[in-house]
Amino acid sequence: MQNHERRRNHMKILFAPDSFKGSMSSFHAIELLHIVTQKHFPGCQMVDLPIGDGGEGTVESLIHALGGHYATCKVTGPLGEEVEARYGILNDTTAILEMAQASGLPLLQGRTPDILHASSIGTGQLLRHILMEGYTNIYLLLGGSATNDGGLGAATALGIRFLDAEGKDVSPDGAGLAQVVSIDAAAVLPQLQTARITLMCDVKNPLLGPDGATYVYGKQKGAGPEEQARLEAGMENYIRVVEEACGRQFRDVPGCGAAGGLSVPLLAFAHAEIRSGIETVLSLMEFDKLIEDVDLVVTGEGRLDYQSTKGKVLSGIGLHCARQGVPAVAVVGCMGEGAEQIYDCGIVAAISCMGAATSQEDALARADAMFLNAADRMYRLIKLGMSFPR
């Protein structure tokens, strides 16, 4: 028994949860894990690593892990309003920005979405500002957008002109896609040609078709059947002109359908590549080094289901831990269809906060208490396993 106690008190545990959307940040989840861990393993060493996969909270977690800071820039929001967009500075050459800060659905603040006229121009303005500040290594998080303009608005802000049959500039939004006949990139921002841009994305959707930008994400941005058909036809026209201008094919690139096709002009006219959000985050944080002497990793997210295995935080952490022989467990808000698939991604066990009969309203109201209870159950099972003779 004394050996078991000594082993418990000298444990090193790393906390790496994602945010629990709608209920708690990854930082708050870690605070709660500290409380429960100190109860069960009072002498253990705890390492905090709030994390994200390219979505909400990712910039904050990277700034925390890498010692960066925030800066702001005023840009044009998705429907033409002025917004103050925040971005992160990680070092003298590296900056990170979220598309959602400049062109995101949350910026509509209760206004009716207008996907045909929503523009990614603010994202281009924010990227232009960062490039002109001298940053040459840029991470752009795709997701949460209010737009479906194929990045036409963003590219316009970067100096690329999209012209109609009369040689006039098209509107920099979804409605303008169908009008594009030719492209003039002569006045493109010079810094765009020399910077390296990593597009962080956690989906594999192509640009067009039933699995593409318009038909998968258009509805949540306010597009009805008629608008979807119009946007899809416009996107087909737009990508044809872009591909002819560049002599390369982009429409089937995995992830190109994310964020309303924002990546298209960056892949075409800049040194950009699409990478897995969680893999990029783990690489920047040097996660594999951090877990070299760790006994246990505790991660988590709001909902665990089959999508969690497809480039999300839990699967990324689980696979990295499995490769190094470090056990990883998860505390999750709830478990949905296909949740058991996460065990094929290196997660050893997952504990749900929410029971089957618990309503969502009750879960949100008692989020802290339910999380603490789930973590307590998890540690009791871990201690039981540790008590067995080896």
Side-chain angles (χ1 to χ4, degrees):
M1 188 58 131
Q2 289 181 346
N3 288 336
H4 295 318
E5 288 297 329
R6 190 180 303 113
R7 185 169 146 219
R8 292 173 185 172
N9 293 340
H10 287 83
M11 285 181 69
K12 184 176 181 180
I13 304 176
L14 184 143
F15 305 129
D18 195 358
S19 61
F20 286 57
K21 291 179 181 177
S23 60
M24 71 177 69
S25 68
S26 54
F27 290 85
H28 187 56
I30 287 174
E31 290 175 357
L32 297 178
L33 285 170
H34 271 261
I35 294 171
V36 188
T37 305
Q38 288 168 351
K39 170 185 173 183
H40 288 280
F41 303 105
C44 80
Q45 180 182 352
M46 293 178 280
V47 180
D48 301 342
L49 193 70
I51 206 160
D53 56 16
E56 177 186 341
T58 302
V59 173
E60 187 178 16
S61 66
L62 283 168
I63 284 177
H64 174 269
L66 304 178
H69 64 277
Y70 287 107
T72 60
C73 174
K74 290 184 178 179
V75 300
T76 303
L79 294 181
E81 70 283 19
E82 184 180 79
V83 299
E84 187 167 71
R86 188 170 71 162
Y87 63 97
I89 297 172
L90 302 183
N91 55 47
D92 291 343
T93 61
T94 307
I96 181 166
L97 66 147
E98 296 179 70
M99 182 189 185
Q101 279 283 314
S103 311
L105 268 176
L107 296 175
L108 300 184
Q109 297 180 334
R111 298 169 63 185
T112 302
D114 184 359
I115 193 169
L116 284 172
H117 299 104
S119 175
S120 62
I121 192 167
T123 298
Q125 291 170 342
L126 183 55
L127 182 54
R128 182 184 186 94
H129 169 82
I130 291 170
L131 288 165
M132 293 186 72
E133 286 289 302
Y135 297 99
T136 56
N137 187 26
I138 298 170
Y139 293 89
L140 172 52
L141 282 60
L142 305 181
S145 74
T147 62
N148 198 88
D149 67 353
L152 193 156
T156 298
L158 293 165
I160 301 169
R161 299 181 65 198
F162 297 89
L163 309 174
D164 63 15
E166 298 179 359
K168 297 179 180 179
D169 294 292
V170 306
S171 57
D173 53 26
L177 294 170
Q179 305 165 11
V180 178
V181 172
S182 62
I183 301 172
D184 180 359
V188 66
L189 186 71
Q191 291 90 331
L192 191 66
Q193 306 298 304
T194 55
R196 191 180 92 182
I197 301 173
T198 301
L199 304 167
M200 296 168 63
C201 176
D202 65 358
V203 300
K204 301 293 186 182
N205 303 76
L207 184 67
L208 302 172
D211 297 321
T214 301
Y215 287 114
V216 172
Y217 304 107
K219 186 175 180 180
Q220 70 192 50
K221 302 175 186 181
E226 291 183 10
E227 289 171 312
Q228 287 180 330
R230 180 177 170 184
L231 285 165
E232 182 75 357
M235 197 74 82
E236 288 179 355
N237 171 69
Y238 168 73
I239 192 61
R240 176 183 56 78
V241 177
V242 171
E243 290 176 341
E244 287 177 357
C246 298
R248 289 182 290 154
Q249 191 266 350
F250 304 105
R251 67 184 69 202
D252 295 325
V253 173
C256 206
L262 178 78
S263 62
V264 168
L266 297 174
L267 293 173
F269 301 105
H271 297 288
E273 63 171 339
I274 299 176
R275 288 189 60 194
S276 159
I278 184 59
E279 286 302 319
T280 304
V281 169
L282 294 177
S283 175
L284 286 169
M285 291 181 170
E286 298 186 325
F287 183 78
D288 289 346
K289 288 185 179 179
L290 291 176
I291 63 173
E292 284 179 351
D293 60 346
V294 164
D295 297 294
L296 176 70
V297 170
V298 181
T299 183
E301 66 179 4
R303 178 179 175 82
L304 171 60
D305 57 24
Y306 69 94
Q307 295 183 79
S308 303
T309 66
K310 302 183 185 302
K312 301 290 187 179
V313 166
L314 264 63
S315 60
I317 285 177
L319 290 168
H320 278 256
C321 287
R323 284 197 288 267
Q324 294 194 214
V326 178
V329 295
V331 179
V332 300
C334 63
M335 301 175 86
E337 182 181 356
E340 70 282 354
Q341 295 176 25
I342 201 65
Y343 302 131
D344 296 326
C345 299
I347 298 296
V348 177
I351 305 293
S352 174
C353 297
M354 194 166 81
T358 306
S359 69
Q360 186 174 3
E361 293 75 15
D362 182 53
L364 291 174
R366 302 194 305 111
D368 283 16
M370 294 175 72
F371 185 96
L372 289 167
N373 180 273
D376 180 75
R377 285 182 278 127
M378 174 189 73
Y379 279 135
R380 288 180 184 277
L381 289 170
I382 288 173
K383 287 165 71 175
L384 174 64
M386 293 173 67
S387 69
F388 294 146
R390 289 190 170 184

